Amino acid sequence: MRIKYYGSRGSLPTPGKSTIKYGGNTTCLSIQVNGKQIIVDGGSGLRVLGTELMQKELKQGKGEVVFFWSHFHWDHIMGFPFFVPNFIPGNKIIHYGSKRVKEILKRQQDFITFPVEFDKMPSEQVFNTILKSEPVRIGKLTVTHCQSNHPAGGFIFKFTHQGKSMVFATDTEHPETGMDQDLLRLSQGADVLIYDAQYTPGEYQQGRKGWGHSTWEKGVEMAKAAGVKRLHLYHHDQTHSDAFLEKKILEPARRAFGKTFLAREGWEFQI
Ligand SMILES: [Zn+2]
Ligand SMILES: [Zn+2]
């Protein structure tokens, strides 16, 4: 699997000098595996990915991409109307998510909020509902999931291919006591755990409980308990500069778990 971050920011795009290193675009991840193009969430980073994908089949209207939607907060869907392959007749855009994916993407592209309505896009849009405890198979890639702990709910995905796996656990809050046992089971032995570390432990304690996000400390705890090989801290807060992320999040996390990294827009890796 070739995985690339197109957005690592949470909540709101944050362009500017202080966020240039880790990036200002919101949640979007590309997975390329066996010639298939998978996209996890369509935050503002999706615009750049869509432009890069405009080669060969997708440019000619003969391409196919598969989206997995964790949930529908703005920072995870706002890039979809700017995804250029949507506007080429003949392209097939396949969706996996809750049963409300179509309704919510249509609502986002209502004429009053966006000039091109969802149904006016010439590509073919195909919707699939993720069923409880049933894995999705895309060729040799298997996608399993558990539920996130987040306002209005959501999915945590695990992508497994030829014995290698990556868990995408963003927009989820740790339980008040103990650990999220479903996530612990899902993450067991994963090569990469991408984890919501929006807040420092101190910030979390100051009025952010119940907002559906977690901390580097809980990410480290999960990574150790699940025996994951690498931990990627993700969904950086819109108020955190590059310097803050390195000093207040990466440094203490790395002291506790050496194989910790900050997710960075444009970073590509293979597992
Ligand atoms: Zn988010
Ligand atoms: Zn969210």
Side-chain angles (χ1 to χ4, degrees):
M1 285 188 276
R2 278 188 90 73
I3 300 171
K4 186 172 177 183
Y5 289 111
Y6 281 84
S8 58
R9 189 66 48 178
S11 306
L12 193 74
T14 53
K17 280 189 207 153
S18 69
T19 57
I20 209 148
K21 184 166 178 186
Y22 294 98
N25 276 312
T26 65
T27 311
C28 183
L29 192 77
S30 162
I31 304 173
Q32 288 180 335
V33 58
N34 283 139
K36 302 267 185 204
Q37 176 65 52
I38 316 287
I39 300 172
V40 192
D41 285 355
S44 67
L46 178 62
R47 185 192 65 81
V48 180
L49 172 57
T51 308
E52 286 183 15
L53 290 176
M54 284 296 286
Q55 302 166 14
K56 299 181 204 156
E57 290 90 352
L58 283 163
K59 191 180 180 184
Q60 296 159 3
K62 294 173 186 164
E64 193 178 293
V65 298
V66 182
F67 277 89
F68 282 84
W69 297 99
S70 70
H71 69 304
F72 307 114
H73 284 153
W74 284 340
D75 51 321
H76 298 254
I77 63 170
M78 59 169 62
F80 192 72
F82 299 89
F83 185 60
V84 187
N86 277 334
F87 297 90
I88 311 296
N91 282 338
K92 192 169 177 181
I93 315 294
I94 301 169
H95 303 268
Y96 285 91
S98 87
K99 61 179 188 301
R100 298 186 67 189
V101 176
K102 186 177 184 181
E103 171 205 337
I104 287 159
L105 292 180
K106 275 181 81 154
R107 198 195 289 171
Q108 175 173 239
Q109 269 172 270
D110 181 275
F111 189 62
I112 200 79
T113 53
F114 194 77
V116 184
E117 286 173 274
F118 185 86
D119 290 331
K120 302 252 168 79
M121 297 191 300
S123 53
E124 186 189 355
Q125 305 279 329
V126 181
F127 294 90
N128 301 283
T129 300
I130 293 175
L131 301 171
K132 205 173 187 304
S133 71
E134 254 184 58
V136 175
R137 290 200 170 81
I138 312 282
K140 286 179 180 158
L141 176 75
T142 304
V143 189
T144 46
H145 71 272
C146 67
Q147 300 293 319
S148 63
N149 178 26
H150 199 60
F155 291 115
I156 290 171
F157 296 117
K158 181 181 196 175
F159 299 87
T160 306
H161 181 253
Q162 293 182 335
K164 301 280 183 188
S165 63
M166 180 271 284
V167 174
F168 184 77
T170 192
D171 295 63
T172 193
E173 185 168 349
H174 51 276
E176 189 97 37
T177 54
M179 298 183 88
D180 180 339
Q181 294 299 316
D182 293 338
L183 178 56
L184 179 59
R185 261 191 299 276
L186 196 72
S187 306
Q188 228 30 260
D191 292 272
V192 175
L193 169 63
I194 298 170
Y195 188 83
D196 184 322
Q198 178 142 357
Y199 306 127
T200 65
E203 286 172 329
Y204 178 75
Q205 292 300 332
Q206 288 158 21
R208 291 176 178 89
K209 283 187 189 173
W211 288 15
H213 298 287
S214 193
T215 67
W216 65 260
E217 200 173 38
K218 293 293 172 182
V220 164
E221 212 175 275
M222 182 58 71
K224 284 180 171 174
V228 308
K229 295 193 179 71
R230 281 169 285 160
L231 172 65
H232 289 192
L233 302 174
Y234 193 63
H235 207 272
H236 309 312
D237 191 84
Q238 69 276 13
T239 66
H240 290 169
S241 66
D242 292 331
F244 185 98
L245 288 173
E246 288 178 346
K247 188 114 199 89
K248 301 288 184 185
I249 292 186
L250 182 61
E251 263 185 34
R254 221 174 233 179
R255 273 199 297 273
F257 186 71
K259 290 284 182 187
T260 304
F261 304 86
L262 288 170
R264 177 172 55 78
E265 195 176 314
W267 179 20
E268 189 172 13
F269 58 97
Q270 188 135 12
I271 52 171

